[in-house]
Amino acid sequence: MEPGAVIEIINFVGPPICKYWNYHRNLKIFLDTLRSKKEDLNCRKEDVELRLSAECHSGKTPKKEVEKWLKKAEKVSNEAQSLEDKAGKCRYVSRACLGKLIDEKSKELIEVYDQGSFPTSLVIDPPSNVGSNVGQLIPTQELVGEATVKEKVWGHLMGGTVCKIGVCGMGGIGKTTIMKHVHNELLKETKFDTVIWVTVSQEFDVEKIQKSIASALNKRISAEDKTKRTAELSEMLKERKRYVLILDDVWKRFSLDEVGIPEPTVDNGCKLVLTTRLKEVARSMGCEVIPVDLLSEDEALRLFSKHVGDYLLRIPTIEPILKQVVEQCAGLPLAIVTVASSMKSEDDVDLWKNALNELKENSTSVEGMGDEVIPRLKFSYDRLMDPKIKRCFLYCALFPEDFDIPKEELIEYWIVEGLIDVMETRQAMHYKGLAILHKLKENCLLESAEDGKCVKMHDLVREMALDITTGSPRYLVEAGKFGALLLEEEWKDDVEKVSLMRCRITRIPSNFPSSGCRSLSTLLLQHNYIEEIPEFFFEHLTGLKILDLSGNSNLLRLPDSISGLINLTALMVHGCFRLRHVPSLAKLSALKKLDLGGTEIDVVPQGLEMLAHLTYLDLNWTRILQIPDGMLSNLSRIQHLRLDRVAFENAEDILRLMKLEIFGVRFDHLQDYHRYLSLQSRRRLSKYYFTVEKNAYTYARGEWDKYVSLVELRICENSVVLPRDIQQLHFNVCGGMRSLRDVPSLKDTTDLRECVIYRCYEMEFVFCLSSCYGILETLEYLLLQRLVDLKAIFQIAEDEVNASSLRTQTPSPPNIVFRLKRLIMSDCGKIRKLFSPELLPSLQNLEEIQVKYCGGLEEIIAASDDDEEGENNEAAGNNSIKSLALPKLRVLYLKELPNLMSICSRRSTLVCNSLETIVVLRCPEIKRLPVLLPHLVNGQPLNPRSLRIDIDKDCWDALEWDDPNTKSLLALVRGYWWS
């Protein structure tokens, strides 16, 4: 062979051989490079996903290029991982080939990494028909006479030229009622994406309004800087596209720009409506003014008779007097309703004559009142014959304007103020308080707040109450007025009560007050930012009986001058999280209520054992871990005792407290807990919270106020005893428990409502249906969290332990309907099926299903044998679909379920006539959402804006629908909320 030919061959085969040898010899180097580049790509991918979750809301959708890149990055990263796995099993002769593939994949990783740089936004704005109406129906009264005003407002909202509307009229004339009706009708209207209602009130504060609007949008404003807050709110509102913002009870002009409200224009389609007593406020803000007039004589009579009783107009002796009473109400709806309610069903003609005389006197007796309605409201107050009930009503004025006053908190104030007569039990006094609240609501002096747990005062009713308290008793009220602090000259000797709650006070002057206020009995300073109280502040307040400093989280110590308040009956510092020092209480012999809960106090205050009149003691969530032996036995009158972190061994000390009704305590050992139960078995507590655990700092997942009895177990044995009347039961890290049948005493309980099972790692199933029917007939709420070995919730028989089998979840007797309303499950990785279809008839009360982070879950409702046979017969032309029903289900929330493939089988459809929320986040395998929404008789869907739909876009695009109209319906309300 010619030498040139040899050289040519070497040149031809040499480089490939060198490359081959390089790949073979340096495989580890190539592999390290691959791992590094893969990690870089995954980090960038996570950054993009985080950006996307922040930007992708309010209907905004990811750009196609972003979606495409994320899929490509996922694919390339998985391929790189596959090569890594192969490298671990690679044979010697294959090293070069694998090295070449790894090198090429590393270069691809670098290329994809560079493509993932997105300098601009990752999302695009939604189409105009995609939005979410955040409003909820507001309870309201029937409109009488104001219908014309409502029609004018509605015409401007639906029209294109007027963008700002001002509904104006005197207080109590019905402005808010009109707008509540408009608000509720707007919820059915598809022209606007969002309807927002915010109450402004007389004490205008920019930050408060900003946070209220954000809250109405289900958002939070995080910025502390005023300018940033304004920009943040402006962006939130712009994202909502076309919205209606209703600002109720505006008292003065303000700049929309200052708050962060974009100017409503014809181009952006937004509308602003405000209600105000002052036309100049509406005009100065550029609003089209719509006045609200007084009711006509006929309208006033119709409204009055509706509330007082129509039949009274048919009594000849009462009818003419009744009509004169209506005349005295001057056509004001609030006055008419209030007076009529106080005279409801009253058929004594003499009482009607007296009422007419009182109204005539009231209408002229209050001098200088600009509003004519207040004297008429005072008539209803005067009709409260019991002086204590009157004082209970006036007490409500100590709270800020438009404030939701918690009923339980208000009644507690009435008790410590002595406004409710002392009864045999504290529970009886609470019932009396509820009866007083009912009386005040019946007379339209209070109204129920939306949550049912609070009451509130109409601002005019509060004005009337404050007007009364300028005389005797005399109140000084600045509650809710930010930065307010009464001037020294206002602290006069005739002042009885002072309220400075929620004023954002940070400091009290060192010489304040220097004298006066010797009659002051009540001082409310809660929920401020007070850091220090002057040492001698309380020296001149010798008559003080009620002192509330709760919620001052910056307060470190109480001044020693508190020790001299010998008339003090209630001292509350609950939630002063940094408070460490409380002076001696030895001289406070009149003290009946002491609330030190939620503070940093680590020793029992000196002199506590001398408070013989104490009926209420709260040391919950303090750092006090021990109570000296014998101390509690001196507190023989105690009714409410919270010692939830304090360990008790001496049950006899507690049993000596014969008046005890409400009790929270911790037991270190199960035998201490059992001993206490056995000794107190003949006495019944109205409310209790027992914890059995060694660690005093556990976090309780229960809501103390939700039910009246709770036991939390962190130590659990087969022999554990439960009170028969228990309503809440929590298992927290209880080893050795495979199911609730391991707690035999559960079968003896009669009213269990809530069960929480947390980190019980050996639990395989929860209920054995053959032995748990009694529990399931009362249980309303079930929370299962971090049960790593859980295979099923329901097991049919005690001797069947294969909980992963579908047979363990079937069937319950058809005549048993469980009470279960809420099921929440998370971090239970082995469970594959949630329910069997045979179990659904027993779950007719279920209102909420939440399942999160359960990696093994494949089906919500498992396929039955009939379903499997039906799928086999589908080819034969049998296409019948079986309907499954959860008629009360309101919420279906599914998140991070990577193997979830279906809600129910392809042969079934889930009918949910009450559904309000559907959430499906990061469930990549689900392809079908067989949920039938409620429809009207004519086939049209109910108001789609009553639904909240949160579904990942990838999942949304891939979903199959049984009803072809469902997807287009849900597209109206679908939004993206990333969690």
Side-chain angles (χ1 to χ4, degrees), residues 606-744:
Q606 183 182 346
L608 179 64
E609 70 279 2
M610 302 177 69
L611 305 180
H613 291 90
L614 207 62
T615 61
Y616 184 115
L617 176 61
D618 192 335
L619 299 177
N620 184 32
W621 288 101
T622 66
R623 293 192 174 273
I624 298 171
L625 301 181
Q626 275 194 322
I627 301 286
D629 287 344
M631 174 178 282
L632 290 178
S633 60
N634 295 332
L635 310 179
S636 59
R637 300 186 185 187
I638 205 80
Q639 297 169 325
H640 177 118
L641 182 60
R642 292 294 302 272
L643 307 168
D644 300 14
R645 283 189 174 184
V646 180
F648 258 87
E649 297 179 5
N650 190 353
E652 285 78 3
D653 269 4
I654 300 297
L655 294 172
R656 291 191 187 100
L657 305 177
M658 301 303 294
K659 294 183 178 295
L660 191 61
E661 301 173 47
I662 300 171
F663 185 34
V665 71
R666 177 174 65 88
F667 299 95
D668 266 346
H669 306 287
L670 207 55
Q671 56 266 36
D672 297 332
Y673 160 72
H674 284 156
R675 175 173 168 73
Y676 172 78
L677 287 186
S678 64
L679 291 174
Q680 71 92 41
S681 59
R682 289 189 292 271
R683 293 169 50 195
R684 180 179 174 86
L685 296 168
S686 64
K687 198 171 187 179
Y688 59 80
Y689 182 6
F690 300 149
T691 307
V692 184
E693 61 168 332
K694 276 285 189 182
N695 177 13
Y697 296 96
T698 184
Y699 170 70
R701 284 164 175 75
E703 298 178 32
W704 169 257
D705 292 322
K706 188 174 183 180
Y707 299 113
V708 299
S709 49
L710 186 149
V711 174
E712 180 169 11
L713 299 170
R714 290 176 71 97
I715 304 169
C716 187
E717 299 173 2
N718 188 270
S719 60
V720 68
V721 176
L722 298 172
R724 285 176 57 84
D725 62 348
I726 184 176
Q727 290 189 330
Q728 289 174 279
L729 176 61
H730 294 188
F731 296 98
N732 196 337
V733 199
C734 291
M737 187 168 67
R738 293 179 59 245
S739 78
L740 290 184
R741 72 180 182 187
D742 291 339
V743 187

Side-chain angles (χ1 to χ4, degrees), residues 496-540:
E496 184 180 315
K497 301 186 191 302
V498 171
S499 175
L500 292 167
M501 65 172 81
R502 299 178 183 272
C503 291
R504 297 187 183 176
I505 298 169
T506 56
R507 61 182 296 273
I508 297 173
S510 58
N511 61 343
F512 187 67
S514 60
S515 62
C517 263
R518 299 185 187 278
S519 299
L520 184 66
S521 65
T522 300
L523 179 57
L524 305 180
L525 287 166
Q526 64 265 40
H527 299 291
N528 284 297
Y529 302 108
I530 299 171
E531 298 176 4
E532 184 180 4
I533 300 174
E535 196 60 45
F536 306 106
F537 179 75
F538 295 104
E539 282 190 354
H540 300 287

